[in-house]
Amino acid sequence: MTPNIIRNFVTKRATRRYPHEVRAPFEGARGELYNEIEKCTFCRICAVKCPSQCITVDKKTATWECNPFACVYCGICVDVCREKCLHQKCQYRPPVCEREIIFMKGKTKKTG
Ligand code: SF4
Ligand code: SF4
């Protein structure tokens, strides 16, 4: 045990003080969602396929919402979106104390 303690004193830390020290994300990292709301048709496919049921879509009010506290960042919603308007930022998800509900409002379509 003593050699381990000495080695730990003289070698670089294996961990980072996140979020104060942020590592550069690797290519293809799956971070927070964003929706190009002007392309969204509010079809609800992302909400139906989401395993965490954290997406809420309302076609009448043209709103799209995601709860990042329930999201597991799996990317299924991005894959199933036919309009290709849903994306994941290539950056690490923010710590819990900095997360906020992602709420986006598009334009309501006139009917009749
Ligand atoms: S699947 Fe795409 S187009 Fe449909 S509601 Fe979700 S983000 Fe909008
Ligand atoms: S990344 Fe996964 S868990 Fe998060 S909203 Fe999309 S489908 Fe749901």
Side-chain angles (χ1 to χ4, degrees):
M1 190 170 164
T2 307
N4 278 349
I5 293 171
I6 294 168
R7 192 167 56 241
N8 286 340
F9 268 120
V10 295
T11 53
K12 201 177 157 205
R13 274 197 311 251
T15 54
R16 285 181 180 78
R17 295 180 62 237
Y18 185 81
H20 306 292
E21 288 174 47
V22 182
R23 183 182 185 178
F26 55 87
E27 200 185 322
R30 293 191 297 213
E32 212 161 65
L33 287 170
Y34 70 96
N35 190 350
E36 292 177 79
I37 200 71
E38 62 285 353
K39 289 190 196 168
C40 179
T41 56
F42 306 99
C43 66
R44 292 196 68 248
I45 289 175
C46 54
V48 170
K49 296 288 183 183
C50 171
S52 305
Q53 300 185 336
C54 55
I55 297 179
T56 309
V57 182
D58 188 338
K59 194 164 191 159
K60 274 189 190 161
T61 55
T63 54
W64 184 95
E65 190 176 314
C66 175
N67 177 356
F69 300 97
C71 178
V72 294
Y73 301 86
C74 63
I76 289 174
C77 55
V78 174
D79 291 343
V80 297
C81 175
R82 289 183 195 153
E83 306 304 321
K84 301 288 171 219
C85 60
L86 213 46
H87 310 277
Q88 283 184 280
K89 295 176 188 171
C90 186
Q91 64 185 48
Y92 295 117
R93 63 198 80 166
V96 170
C97 59
E98 290 176 16
R99 284 184 208 170
E100 288 178 355
I101 299 287
I102 304 165
F103 177 82
M104 307 198 79
K105 181 156 176 51
K107 285 186 183 149
T108 46
K109 303 239 177 352
K110 285 179 189 158
T111 53

